[in-house]
Amino acid sequence: MDLTMNTIDIVVSDMDAAVAFYRRLGLELTVDASYPDHADCDLPGGLHLMLDTEKFRGPTVDGWTPPSGGPRTFLAFQAASPADVDAAYAELTAAGYTGAKEPWDAFWGMRYATVLDPDGNGVDLYAPLPAA
């Protein structure tokens, strides 16, 4: 089998809210004029990100229903510095997004924080801590 993983597809309940959130994080999502239930953008390293509404994505898998419970997906965004992690977390939570874990110094040597996107997916913010 010769497969290449090159696309991440996130199912969203509200396209406008999801696009606004990910644009705050610097992604240049474009909503498809022919299919307003679909948005996408290219990511560094050759990856591609898609957002599809439940209405658009649901029929592609028999019996699909939106998941419940905690986040099953976490996307990670690297910041330039630990202070930038704190600033990004503060900006996102001040804008009304849910903070799942306030910034903290993780034992693996990074400043880390987690916010939730409008659909409850985890979005990690991180930066390496200075060497001690």
Side-chain angles (χ1 to χ4, degrees), residues 73-104:
T73 301
F74 289 85
L75 300 178
F77 287 77
Q78 184 172 357
S81 71
D84 289 338
V85 170
D86 295 4
Y89 181 88
E91 179 183 327
L92 291 166
T93 56
Y97 298 106
T98 302
K101 176 74 172 171
E102 291 185 6
W104 63 293

Side-chain angles (χ1 to χ4, degrees), residues 1-97:
M1 193 178 320
D2 185 18
L3 303 172
T4 301
M5 194 280 200
N6 62 6
T7 303
I8 299 166
D9 188 2
I10 301 174
V11 180
V12 303
S13 58
D14 182 329
M15 182 61 72
D16 292 337
V19 167
F21 176 82
Y22 285 105
R23 282 183 178 162
R24 278 185 171 271
L25 293 169
L27 300 182
E28 297 181 23
L29 285 155
T30 302
V31 178
D32 188 325
S34 301
Y35 301 100
D37 290 320
H38 175 83
D40 62 353
C41 70
D42 291 324
L43 301 173
L47 283 176
H48 191 75
L49 176 68
M50 300 188 310
L51 303 180
D52 290 315
T53 63
E54 295 166 351
K55 173 184 164 189
F56 185 83
R57 188 69 167 123
T60 66
V61 177
D62 291 339
W64 183 86
T65 59
S68 61
R72 295 177 186 221
T73 301
F74 289 85
L75 300 178
F77 287 77
Q78 184 172 357
S81 71
D84 289 338
V85 170
D86 295 4
Y89 181 88
E91 179 183 327
L92 291 166
T93 56
Y97 298 106

